[in-house]
Amino acid sequence: MADRGNRVVIDTQELSPEDMATRFSLKQGGMGWFLFKGSSVTTEEIPDYDPATFDKIKSPSQRLRAVLFVYWKEIRKGQGDFEGFYRAQVERIIEQYKKKLPT
């Protein structure tokens, strides 16, 4: 597409009038979730955050890296190389959990 987006075409089984009304109410665009599952989907399985903010939500690893950067900058006064500090801290965390595993 011209805006570098992608188009996805989906064929459905025949829908009830209520489902068709819901489907056409969503036609005007906007962000939303598309769930595909071999069986029915419960509302508990739908993410509870607004998909429009999806790109603003950090993954757990991004959050950890950001916290370690602030710690390195403020507590460690930016001493040394952050990348080396980050790798050492992540390795320390990994080793802590490896020690907790049954042998």
Side-chain angles (χ1 to χ4, degrees), residues 1 3-4 15 31 51 53 55 63 76 94 97:
M1 296 176 63
D3 67 354
R4 303 183 86 182
L15 299 173
M31 299 290 286
T53 63
D55 60 343
R63 290 183 62 217
R76 302 273 311 247
I94 290 169
Y97 278 94

Side-chain angles (χ1 to χ4, degrees), residues 4-85:
R4 303 183 86 182
N6 292 301
R7 181 179 309 270
V8 177
V9 178
I10 300 177
D11 295 320
T12 67
Q13 296 175 352
E14 187 173 343
L15 299 173
S16 69
E18 295 82 18
D19 289 342
M20 283 295 286
T22 301
R23 162 55 191 103
F24 281 114
S25 73
L26 301 172
K27 187 176 180 182
Q28 296 304 315
M31 299 290 286
W33 295 105
F34 181 81
L35 303 173
F36 179 80
K37 187 174 178 183
S39 60
S40 64
V41 175
T42 64
T43 55
E44 291 82 32
E45 295 176 275
I46 300 173
D48 63 352
Y49 53 89
D50 182 357
T53 63
F54 183 75
D55 60 343
K56 297 176 179 89
I57 297 172
K58 291 182 181 180
S59 70
S61 61
Q62 289 171 321
R63 290 183 62 217
L64 176 60
R65 186 178 181 92
V67 169
L68 288 174
F69 179 78
V70 171
Y71 178 85
W72 173 76
K73 187 174 178 184
E74 293 184 9
I75 306 301
R76 302 273 311 247
K77 308 294 185 213
Q79 296 172 349
D81 165 50
F82 173 70
E83 193 60 34
F85 171 77

